[in-house]
Amino acid sequence: MRLEDLPPLPETPGVYLWKAGESVIYVGKAKNLKARVTSYFHSEGKSLRVSQEATHLDFIVLRDEVEALLLEANLIKHHRPHYNVLMKDDKHYPFLKLTREEWPMLMVVRRVQNDGARYWGPFPEASAVRRIKRLVDRFFPLRQNSGFPFKKRRYPCLNHSMGRCLAPCVGKADPEQYRVVVQQVENLLDGKVEALYESLEQQMRAAAQHQDFERAAEIRDQITAVRSFFGTSQQAYDPELGDLDFLGFARAGDYALIQHYQMRGGQMLGRISRFVEGVKEASDAELLEAFLRDYYLEATPLPPLVLLPFELEAQDAFSTFLSSKGRKVEVRIPQRGDKTRLIELAQKNAETALHTELKVLERKGDHPGLKGLMEVLGLSRRPYRIEGYDISNLLGESVVGSITVFEGGRPKKAEYRRIKIKGLQGQPDDFFSMEQTILRRFTGSLAEQMPIPDLILIDGGLGQVRAAQKGLKQAGLDIPLVGLAKREETLVLPDGHTIGLPLSHPALQILIYLRDETHRNGLEFHRKLRNQKTLKSIFDDIPGIGPARKMALLNHFSTLEELRDMSVDELARLPGLDKRSAQAVLKALGAGIPSEGSRA
């Protein structure tokens, strides 16, 4: 579709639908329809593709952005357009439903219907629903076993005998008493615990005045149970925070995760998590708005405060939309105090949960970093096997080439290798060392032992990458190469081009992990060589330590610290050593002569 093919658009709020034939491919809302829709033709990425793929545009003019928000949500839910962010979730979180009948009952349901009943939810965890339902069933005598819709019975059930039901099914319930119980349950579920306490205490005092002490004791137990539920239990976070929702957000390249927490009466009821794939081109704001739109379309009743991790353009519209559902709701970003700590908690948990989800994909052999590398580097297939290379040295001494292997995004430590670099004549030369490491890996014995990798990662910049390319050329191989420059974590290609990725991108994360493993592997071996060289030099000057004893010490210890931590007795137990030679070694190391059985 071309810009000149657009219908005349008004500069008013509304909803627009991009269509390809009869299919809706994208639904959006706008404060200014003309400005928003025409911007698609001057954009890049997904927006431009939508306008190019569309054959025509429909739009609906509305009074304000709030109406646009609601209609957009319903249209997306109905059409499920390809280019909209869809919060796919196979879970139907539970609601509590208070039926609208002469004798209402409380039920756990998974769907909200337009039937006039009152609903509370969705609850993040089924355990939270069970706790509340158990509390109501035990201490608030609503009917439980007479069905929905209400059916009469010949005999009352056991709950009536236990004092847990007023038995309207057999005509025993007083309508006014039942109405009071229903109101108390509504207060409980609305979080109006102070009003509930006041109602229960009035009933308790009235029962005591009429000397109905058994009834007064029952009401006292009700009060105790409610206070226990809303008090300092293991689920409570801070009673002073009251009722609120707060959200955490994390993303990594093509993946994102949003977590929603409910707090009622200062008690954490749990959380809902949504893991979303294929969102590389979606903005953070678009993803968070999609979740808010889906979740709050049905959620009820709403808290007076919803806390977000970052600002949204449609934030005020969301506040107005949520407030239109019954009570005033403020949607904002906390600036200080306990509420900022709630967002920090949500953010940290979202990042942890996203990392866990990516690990699950990794275990399935579908590590997101592999797909990302294929796309970023333009590879013909996913790089299942990646080898990392690094050079470690100290002023040209004990130079080591480190080789590490990742398969399926995970370390394969059994195939880690280290190569001693020779021919440097005391002068450090990382480029020569890298070339030699690559050449020996692909032409020597390792070439027969290890398969050819799909991708090679070089720890370093363009110089190291081209040195590695030179080594590959000598070996007669053409394997995709990429370098990782430490300072900016930039990808470096052999032709000199660089690629910058956000630190959260799975492709960059897997390369950083591999680079760090390669560096650790080489540094560990380099330190061992250096320490052994130092030890060897020290042992040469100790009286009574000949070649055999020197070899025994070198085979057993790799650092001076390990040796100094030995007692004379422990050192004397090593093969070929006795107490006199052990004392000579410790004395030469400046550790003194420790007493028998003591530590050096």
Side-chain angles (χ1 to χ4, degrees):
M1 189 174 182
R2 299 173 301 173
L3 180 61
E4 53 267 29
D5 296 330
L6 286 175
L9 292 164
E11 298 181 4
T12 57
V15 170
Y16 55 92
L17 298 87
W18 291 104
K19 291 185 174 182
E22 294 301 315
S23 300
V24 177
I25 61 174
Y26 187 82
V27 176
K29 66 180 184 304
K31 289 182 180 180
N32 184 320
L33 280 169
K34 182 177 181 179
R36 181 70 188 96
V37 171
T38 55
S39 71
Y40 276 70
F41 296 90
H42 309 295
S43 302
E44 296 179 352
K46 182 176 75 173
S47 295
L48 183 60
R49 286 204 308 278
V50 168
S51 63
Q52 291 174 338
E53 187 175 326
T55 56
H56 62 286
L57 178 90
D58 287 346
F59 64 92
I60 303 169
V61 175
L62 299 165
R63 288 180 299 180
D64 53 40
E65 195 180 3
V66 176
E67 283 190 354
L69 179 66
L70 181 58
L71 181 57
E72 178 197 36
N74 286 318
L75 288 174
I76 290 173
K77 187 175 182 180
H78 176 70
H79 293 289
R80 301 191 69 78
H82 171 68
Y83 282 107
N84 282 98
V85 174
L86 303 175
M87 291 289 168
K88 298 176 184 177
D89 188 14
D90 58 358
K91 293 181 180 178
H92 297 297
Y93 292 96
F95 291 78
L96 283 171
K97 172 181 178 178
L98 188 64
T99 61
R100 188 180 182 184
E101 304 173 273
E102 181 183 4
W103 308 101
M105 71 180 293
L106 190 67
M107 307 167 59
V108 177
V109 297
R110 297 278 176 172
R111 299 284 188 184
V112 174
Q113 298 176 325
N114 188 20
D115 56 3
R118 282 209 65 187
Y119 290 85
W120 289 265
F123 288 89
E125 297 174 359
S127 60
V129 178
R130 287 195 296 270
R131 289 198 311 272
I132 297 173
K133 183 72 164 61
R134 196 158 48 238
L135 175 70
V136 172
D137 290 346
R138 183 175 180 184
F139 294 103
F140 297 88
L142 294 181
R143 67 183 186 89
Q144 300 176 43
N145 298 321
S146 47
F148 175 71
F150 173 75
K151 294 179 182 178
K152 290 188 176 181
R153 298 166 60 105
R154 292 184 62 186
Y155 304 102
C157 65
L158 184 61
N159 285 320
H160 177 64
S161 303
M162 298 171 63
R164 296 184 180 182
C165 180
L166 296 177
C169 58
V170 294
K172 289 181 176 290
D174 172 47
E176 179 58 26
Q177 184 182 2
Y178 201 92
R179 186 195 65 77
V180 171
V181 174
V182 169
Q183 183 62 56
Q184 289 173 345
V185 170
E186 289 183 316
N187 286 340
L188 173 71
L189 298 178
D190 287 337
K192 299 176 181 177
V193 288
E194 294 303 325
L196 177 58
Y197 292 148
E198 184 177 342
S199 171
L200 290 173
E201 286 171 356
Q202 287 177 356
Q203 290 184 64
M204 184 173 65
R205 286 194 294 269
Q209 287 173 358
H210 289 86
Q211 297 187 351
D212 187 352
F213 299 115
E214 184 176 348
R215 176 60 183 154
E218 290 175 356
I219 299 172
R220 178 203 61 204
D221 292 343
Q222 280 181 287
I223 295 172
T224 301
V226 174
R227 288 194 187 280
S228 174
F229 184 82
F230 284 99
T232 55
S233 69
Q234 62 178 359
Q235 296 290 330
Y237 188 85
D238 185 349
E240 294 184 3
L241 288 171
D243 297 349
L244 57 85
D245 291 352
F246 59 100
L247 291 92
F249 178 90
R251 74 179 300 167
D254 208 27
Y255 303 85
L257 187 136
I258 301 164
Q259 288 192 333
H260 175 278
Y261 294 79
Q262 280 186 3
M263 182 172 283
R264 298 295 182 265
Q267 180 173 343
M268 193 90 76
L269 296 184
R271 70 185 177 196
I272 289 173
S273 288
R274 296 281 175 89
F275 177 61
V276 198
E277 303 180 42
V279 297
K280 180 171 55 178
E281 294 184 308
S283 66
D284 292 356
E286 186 179 358
L287 292 168
L288 189 57
E289 280 190 16
F291 176 85
L292 294 174
R293 182 184 64 224
D294 281 15
Y295 178 82
Y296 286 110
L297 196 61
E298 290 189 340
T300 180
L302 300 179
L305 181 62
V306 177
L307 301 177
L308 304 181
F310 50 81
E311 194 168 354
L312 299 177
E313 183 180 349
Q315 196 166 299
D316 292 340
F318 270 109
S319 292
T320 307
F321 164 64
L322 297 181
S323 299
S324 68
K325 298 182 73 174
R327 68 188 296 181
K328 182 174 175 57
V329 180
E330 182 184 5
V331 180
R332 64 180 173 87
I333 297 94
Q335 302 299 323
R336 64 180 71 86
D338 291 339
K339 293 183 177 63
T340 60
R341 286 189 282 275
L342 287 179
I343 291 296
E344 290 169 2
L345 170 73
Q347 290 291 89
K348 183 176 180 181
N349 277 281
E351 290 168 3
T352 302
L354 178 58
H355 181 70
T356 300
E357 291 285 354
L358 296 181
K359 285 292 184 185
V360 170
L361 291 178
E362 178 184 335
R363 286 197 294 271
K364 292 179 180 178
D366 190 29
H367 192 292
L370 303 182
K371 181 181 178 182
L373 283 170
M374 182 179 72
E375 294 173 351
V376 168
L377 300 177
L379 305 177
S380 59
R381 61 180 181 181
R382 293 189 182 192
Y384 179 75
R385 182 184 175 95
I386 310 174
E387 291 185 3
Y389 291 80
D390 185 27
I391 302 299
S392 179
N393 72 77
L394 180 66
L395 299 177
E397 295 186 3
S398 302
V399 182
V400 173
S402 169
I403 306 172
T404 53
V405 178
F406 273 28
E407 288 190 352
R410 291 176 288 178
K412 194 173 183 181
K413 294 189 176 182
E415 294 197 21
Y416 284 15
R417 296 292 186 269
R418 296 143 170 177
I419 295 176
K420 294 181 183 179
I421 306 299
K422 300 175 182 179
L424 290 175
Q425 299 177 346
Q427 295 299 318
D429 188 340
D430 283 357
F431 298 157
F432 173 81
S433 300
M434 181 61 72
E435 179 186 340
Q436 289 299 304
T437 299
I438 293 288
L439 183 61
R440 289 170 59 185
R441 155 64 179 96
F442 292 104
T443 59
S445 60
L446 290 180
E448 300 175 359
Q449 299 171 14
M450 300 167 68
I452 300 294
D454 301 309
L455 177 67
I456 290 175
L457 172 68
I458 304 300
D459 181 6
L462 185 58
Q464 284 91 339
V465 171
R466 286 183 172 168
Q469 189 179 39
K470 187 177 177 181
L472 279 177
K473 188 175 181 180
Q474 292 179 58
L477 294 173
D478 183 16
I479 302 172
L481 270 173
V482 65
L484 186 59
K486 286 190 179 73
R487 184 172 297 177
E488 294 87 13
E489 304 291 19
T490 303
L491 276 60
V492 181
L493 303 180
D495 61 5
H497 285 87
T498 59
I499 301 173
L501 296 175
L503 286 174
S504 60
H505 198 291
L508 182 57
Q509 287 184 341
I510 197 172
L511 292 182
I512 290 174
Y513 184 14
L514 175 57
R515 188 271 314 279
D516 291 346
E517 271 291 282
T518 310
H519 184 69
R520 181 196 61 77
N521 180 49
L523 195 60
E524 186 179 272
F525 188 52
H526 171 255
R527 285 173 177 164
K528 182 177 180 180
L529 292 177
R530 188 179 60 187
N531 285 323
Q532 285 187 337
K533 188 173 182 179
T534 303
L535 286 170
K536 186 176 180 180
S537 176
I538 291 173
F539 296 154
D540 285 340
D541 300 326
I542 301 176
I545 301 298
R549 287 175 172 171
K550 181 168 67 175
M551 187 56 64
L553 289 166
L554 287 173
N555 288 337
H556 195 82
F557 301 103
S558 59
T559 67
L560 294 175
E561 288 74 17
E562 292 178 17
L563 187 51
R564 286 196 181 103
D565 198 39
M566 300 291 287
S567 70
V568 171
D569 289 346
E570 290 171 331
L571 197 56
R573 295 192 193 105
L574 293 181
L577 270 70
D578 55 23
K579 188 171 293 186
R580 180 178 295 178
S581 59
Q583 289 174 337
V585 169
L586 293 174
K587 184 177 181 180
L589 294 177
I593 306 299
S595 60
E596 293 187 13
S598 66
R599 307 293 292 179

